[in-house]
């Protein structure tokens, strides 16, 4: 079974940075798209970013210019660099894999999910 494990979350002050990692096992990462999602208390899970098998990227409007997604296929890991963090970025962040090369249009097309890592932006 494909496994995804997120790490790198924590408490950071507004304006600070964090880098999240998503380690993927039991699949050749280079073939597939990986998405990052987040869910704040009382809100629905929302898409943050996606990177395709050919390194095409998408971002939610709320994070454009502040977040950068990247992948290291040799390490089977995808990263989310988060800069200029705001309190409204506070959420549990999840990564998920789509068993296709392109970024899906719906989160329901992602097949496997990690358990999430908490990001809290607060002074």
């Amino acid at each position: 079974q494909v496994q995804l494990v997120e790490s790198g979350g924590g408490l950071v002050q507004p304006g600070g940075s964090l880098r999240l990692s998503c380690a993927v096992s039991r699949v050749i990462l280079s073939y597939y798209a990986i998405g990052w999602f987040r869910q704040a208390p009382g809100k629905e899970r929302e898409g943050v970013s996606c990177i395709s098998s050919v390194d095409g990227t998408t971002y939610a409007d709320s994070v454009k210019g502040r977040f950068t997604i990247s992948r290291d296929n040799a390490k089977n890991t995808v990263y989310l660099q988060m800069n200029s963090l705001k309190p409204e970025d506070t959420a549990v962040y999840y990564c998920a894999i789509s068993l296709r090369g392109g970024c899906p249009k719906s989160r329901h097309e992602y097949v496997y999910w990690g358990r999430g890592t908490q990001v809290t932006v607060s002074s």
Side-chain angles (χ1 to χ4, degrees):
Q1 174 132 355
V2 177
Q3 292 184 337
L4 298 94
V5 179
E6 303 93 339
S7 61
L11 173 64
V12 63
Q13 292 187 343
S17 298
L18 283 174
R19 188 176 80 156
L20 305 183
S21 299
C22 173
V24 184
S25 60
R26 300 178 185 170
V27 71
I28 299 174
L29 180 63
S30 60
Y31 292 164
Y32 305 116
I34 296 285
W36 281 99
F37 295 79
R38 66 186 181 186
Q39 188 166 17
K43 295 187 176 181
E44 289 195 3
R45 192 169 298 188
E46 63 172 352
V48 174
S49 183
C50 177
I51 186 165
S52 73
S53 61
V54 293
D55 291 344
T57 58
T58 64
Y59 296 93
D61 289 343
S62 59
V63 307
K64 280 181 182 176
R66 300 188 298 122
F67 290 13
T68 303
I69 191 170
S70 62
R71 63 196 297 154
D72 185 335
N73 290 330
K75 295 183 178 180
N76 250 35
T77 301
V78 174
Y79 304 98
L80 185 69
Q81 178 67 43
M82 306 187 297
N83 299 329
S84 302
L85 283 161
K86 305 175 181 180
E88 50 264 43
D89 295 318
T90 295
V92 178
Y93 283 71
Y94 301 88
C95 61
I97 187 168
S98 164
L99 296 183
R100 49 185 276 186
C103 287
K105 294 183 179 180
S106 167
R107 64 181 174 93
H108 301 292
E109 296 178 63
Y110 288 86
V111 180
Y112 297 100
W113 293 76
R115 294 187 176 185
T117 185
Q118 176 70 47
V119 171
T120 303
V121 185
S122 175
S123 55

